[in-house]
Amino acid sequence: MSYRMIVTDLDETLLNDQHQVGSRNKEWILKAKQQGVKVVLATGRHFQSVQKVLEDLALDQQENEYVISGNGAVITENKGNRILKFQGLQYEMAQQLVSYAKGKPVCVEIFTLNDIYFYQLNADERERMVAQKIDYKEIEDDDITFLKEESFIKVLYQSTDLTYLHQLEQQMQTIIENQLQTSYSSNRYLEFNRYGIHKGVGIQYLSSLLNIPLSDVIAVGDHLNDIAMLQTAGLAVAANNAIEEVKNIADVVTSANCNEGVLAEVIETYIMK
């Protein structure tokens, strides 16, 4: 099989525990690019928050290079962050999600096309944003009418208590059912996208745009919000540090964890052979 595109998750997959691209990954990604293989980031992050990673991989401000962000809600061309496709939340749903979380032990993150807003920001999440060098704005009230004219990518709840997040999701079924796509990531986020939107949708769009069969695509991930893209790609690869649910549906589990060069192993094994 000759693979022509690699789509990789960022946190806990491409990036190490310091939220950086390791030297082995950089080296082998460069080799893949020299062979004409597309390397696409697929992340739950905002597209504005991945610019340093793109720079590290010499993919920033490049035509015909792409990012899938917001769990598939936004697809951009790297040159000028040009938006090719956007499938976000309606304002009314974003407001409902923010208001529902009021007083609950979760940090709420609101992604618009222009900014990220934090409500009920806790110290743990603040520290993580500083470590990832992510810009954000903090709000003190659950009323987001000042954002009514914005375009909403997604909303997420953050807590390090995953059991509580799962319980919260069950309590929200009347809100979620047939209206929202839920997923989990980084052992700390319950994410809400428009119904039917996930990273797999992003892969399908780019595959069609670039005329690359899905069978020629490798997807690499570690958490629940990666499952849809792993099921979409021709080869599904789980990082060694992936959760069991992801390993169970993957075709391959790497020997390397995110600190040892997951992408390097994938490229060496399946691209450079």
Side-chain angles (χ1 to χ4, degrees):
M1 176 65 70
S2 178
Y3 294 106
R4 299 167 57 191
M5 182 163 69
I6 302 174
V7 183
T8 178
D9 174 56
L10 285 188
D11 297 297
E12 293 85 46
T13 301
L14 172 64
L15 305 184
N16 58 28
D17 288 343
Q18 287 71 49
H19 310 290
Q20 298 173 345
V21 183
S23 58
R24 288 195 70 241
N25 280 341
K26 289 181 183 179
E27 174 189 351
W28 284 94
I29 287 173
L30 175 61
K31 291 179 180 180
K33 288 166 56 184
Q34 290 171 341
Q35 294 294 318
V37 176
K38 288 287 182 188
V39 178
V40 176
L41 308 184
T43 178
R45 292 196 195 189
H46 198 289
F47 60 87
Q48 298 285 6
S49 302
V50 303
Q51 300 309 302
K52 179 60 169 62
V53 179
L54 292 176
E55 291 174 14
D56 288 344
L57 300 177
L59 289 169
D60 60 308
Q61 294 302 316
Q62 298 297 307
E63 293 182 347
N64 303 314
E65 302 289 354
Y66 307 92
V67 168
I68 300 167
S69 62
N71 288 330
V74 187
I75 300 172
T76 48
E77 184 181 39
N78 298 353
K79 179 72 172 178
N81 290 321
R82 184 168 69 94
I83 296 174
L84 303 180
K85 195 169 185 63
F86 172 67
Q87 300 178 90
L89 292 175
Q90 296 297 316
Y91 160 75
E92 291 77 12
M93 178 56 74
Q95 177 66 82
Q96 186 174 4
L97 289 169
V98 176
S99 296
Y100 185 86
K102 183 176 183 179
K104 294 180 174 64
V106 293
C107 169
V108 183
E109 303 180 24
I110 309 150
F111 286 54
T112 73
L113 280 179
N114 296 312
D115 292 291
I116 306 173
Y117 296 85
F118 282 64
Y119 171 56
Q120 300 179 162
L121 179 60
N122 56 50
D124 181 74
E125 189 67 357
R126 188 189 303 273
E127 181 179 339
R128 184 177 174 90
M129 293 303 103
V130 171
Q132 293 183 349
K133 297 181 174 60
I134 292 177
D135 294 327
Y136 63 88
K137 298 179 180 180
E138 190 171 355
I139 59 177
E140 301 297 330
D141 194 274
D142 66 312
D143 182 358
I144 61 168
T145 52
F146 72 100
L147 295 174
K148 193 168 186 177
E149 301 306 316
E150 295 283 341
S151 296
F152 292 85
I153 298 173
K154 67 173 185 176
V155 172
L156 64 82
Y157 295 166
Q158 179 272 332
S159 171
T160 54
D161 186 346
L162 273 180
T163 300
Y164 176 72
L165 288 180
H166 282 282
Q167 291 171 347
L168 198 58
E169 182 186 8
Q170 290 304 309
Q171 295 166 15
M172 298 173 66
Q173 283 308 302
T174 55
I175 300 173
I176 293 170
E177 189 172 8
N178 296 325
Q179 298 187 86
L180 294 169
Q181 190 78 30
T182 61
S183 61
Y184 290 82
S185 62
S186 297
N187 292 318
R188 63 196 295 121
Y189 298 124
L190 167 56
E191 310 206 26
F192 303 99
N193 282 88
R194 181 195 289 189
Y195 186 69
I197 300 304
H198 46 67
K199 293 182 182 181
V201 171
I203 289 183
Q204 290 170 347
Y205 177 84
L206 286 182
S207 175
S208 175
L209 178 72
L210 300 172
N211 197 29
I212 295 175
L214 289 170
S215 58
D216 293 354
V217 178
I218 301 175
V220 193
D222 74 289
H223 218 287
L224 294 177
N225 67 330
D226 298 319
I227 286 180
M229 76 168 182
L230 294 174
Q231 293 174 329
T232 301
L235 181 68
V237 181
N240 184 267
N241 53 279
I243 62 172
E244 286 304 312
E245 293 94 324
V246 171
K247 289 181 177 180
N248 289 340
I249 62 95
D251 299 313
V252 177
V253 178
T254 62
S255 298
N257 64 34
C258 64
N259 293 310
E260 298 166 335
V262 171
L263 266 292
E265 180 178 329
V266 171
I267 293 166
E268 184 177 10
T269 305
Y270 296 103
I271 302 297
M272 306 306 289
K273 293 182 180 179

